[in-house]
Amino acid sequence: MRAQSSATAPSPIAVTAPGERRGVGTGLAALGVASFSLTFPATAWGLEGFGPWSLVAVRSVLAALVAGGCLLVLRVPLPERRHLPGLGVVGAGVVLGFPMLTTLALQTSTTAHAAVVVGLLPLTTAVLSALRTGSRPSHRFWTAALAGAAAVVAFTVGQSGGALTTADGLLFAALLVCAAGYTEGGRLARVMPGWQVIGWALVLCAPLSVPAATVALTYEPVRLTAHGIAGLLWVALGSQFLGLVVWYRGMAAIGIPRASQLQLAQPLLTLVWSALLLGEHFTAAAPVTAVAVLVCIAVTQRS
């Protein structure tokens, strides 16, 4: 009887606790933010060897080749028809729109200035997420998000002397299209693996990026420098593919609004990379903004 009881007793099943799952999701989203923080410095390096249109088109082609190869080797089935519009939004926002607009802006703007302007991306993403998915973050969440955005805006206006430039207009447009891509990608990552979301988005954009790369390389001069090649490889593989893989998976685990607030740290990380890799200088307002932003991140994570 004892043997029978022990044989029929249910064996324990390892279940991931919600707190553990949230911790893993936060870690993945943070890895994505760290990857994205290098995008602007890498783009500045890439512009040393490629024209803006060539850089954007070639980075998309390279990322599509890697993503398509992974999808093919792993025999991933084609996405369902109902997911194609969402993948199209991801492609238009994070594969084509954001890289193109920010690359054009970086021709006349410093990476440090651009990074701080794009610091508004978390708030933009949270707003679009609430409208698109019907999520309702708490009042404390919104207060902290608005405070973080206000700190970023104050820093931006102070650095630009109170006047907005054409580059700022391009960066604000980039915020909107990127937030739309993040929101839709985070929603899709709940029904398919995050790497497949960006993978299929890249593949869907290939019919546009391949001919665009061919034309751009014909008309824009190319100088193969170490910085140019390193910058291209990072924005193609690090930012465009691997960074988005962990980012979308993290968003699916902890939610779009909470994950988007981790990006408040992105402009501050980019400031560090800009100083280390490009030799750019910024005022003492940067550490003050850093403290304010980190406090806002802590509040939103607890909300």
Side-chain angles (χ1 to χ4, degrees):
M1 290 294 292
R2 289 180 181 178
Q4 184 178 4
S5 299
S6 61
T8 57
S11 59
I13 300 176
V15 178
T16 302
E20 181 180 350
R21 182 172 180 268
R22 178 177 295 180
V24 172
T26 300
L28 290 173
L31 282 176
V33 170
S35 172
F36 301 152
S37 70
L38 276 164
T39 300
F40 286 172
T43 299
W45 273 10
L47 288 172
E48 294 181 14
F50 299 87
W53 298 96
S54 299
L55 181 61
V56 173
V58 172
R59 70 181 273 185
S60 179
V61 171
L62 291 178
L65 287 174
V66 174
C70 293
L71 293 168
L72 185 63
V73 169
L74 296 176
R75 297 181 180 180
V76 177
L78 293 173
E80 299 178 24
R81 185 184 298 270
R82 61 191 177 96
H83 295 323
L84 293 180
L87 291 172
V89 173
V90 175
V94 302
V95 175
L96 300 177
F98 184 81
M100 188 72 260
L101 292 167
T102 54
T103 300
L104 291 174
L106 285 173
Q107 290 188 291
T108 56
S109 173
T110 65
T111 60
H113 180 82
V116 176
V117 174
V118 175
L120 292 175
L121 184 57
L123 179 61
T124 310
T125 303
V127 171
L128 291 184
S129 170
L131 295 175
R132 178 67 178 88
T133 65
S135 61
R136 293 294 181 268
S138 67
H139 291 297
R140 187 171 66 170
F141 177 96
W142 286 111
T143 300
L146 288 171
V152 170
V153 170
F155 183 86
T156 304
V157 173
Q159 292 297 300
S160 61
L164 297 180
T165 64
T166 301
D168 291 325
L170 292 171
L171 292 170
F172 285 129
L175 286 176
L176 293 176
V177 298
C178 188
Y182 280 174
T183 299
E184 203 63 23
R187 186 186 66 83
L188 288 173
R190 295 177 178 178
V191 295
M192 67 173 69
W195 76 271
Q196 292 183 23
V197 173
I198 185 58
W200 285 119
L202 285 164
V203 171
L204 288 176
C205 290
L208 294 176
S209 58
V210 170
T214 303
V215 173
L217 289 172
T218 301
Y219 288 95
E220 290 182 337
V222 175
R223 295 187 303 110
L224 296 180
T225 64
H227 278 181
I229 294 174
L232 171 63
L233 291 177
W234 180 259
V235 294
L237 305 180
S239 302
Q240 191 84 75
F241 182 61
L242 296 177
L244 285 168
V245 167
V246 295
W247 173 244
Y248 282 138
R249 188 170 180 179
M251 279 202 297
I254 65 177
I256 298 171
R258 179 177 285 108
S260 69
Q261 298 313 300
L262 290 174
Q263 283 195 301
L264 285 170
Q266 183 175 324
L268 307 170
L269 292 173
T270 300
L271 289 176
V272 175
W273 295 124
S274 298
L276 293 177
L277 301 178
L278 304 175
E280 292 186 359
H281 301 281
F282 43 85
T283 67
V288 175
T289 307
V291 173
V293 167
L294 290 176
V295 170
C296 293
I297 292 176
V299 174
T300 56
Q301 291 300 295
R302 291 180 178 274
S303 300

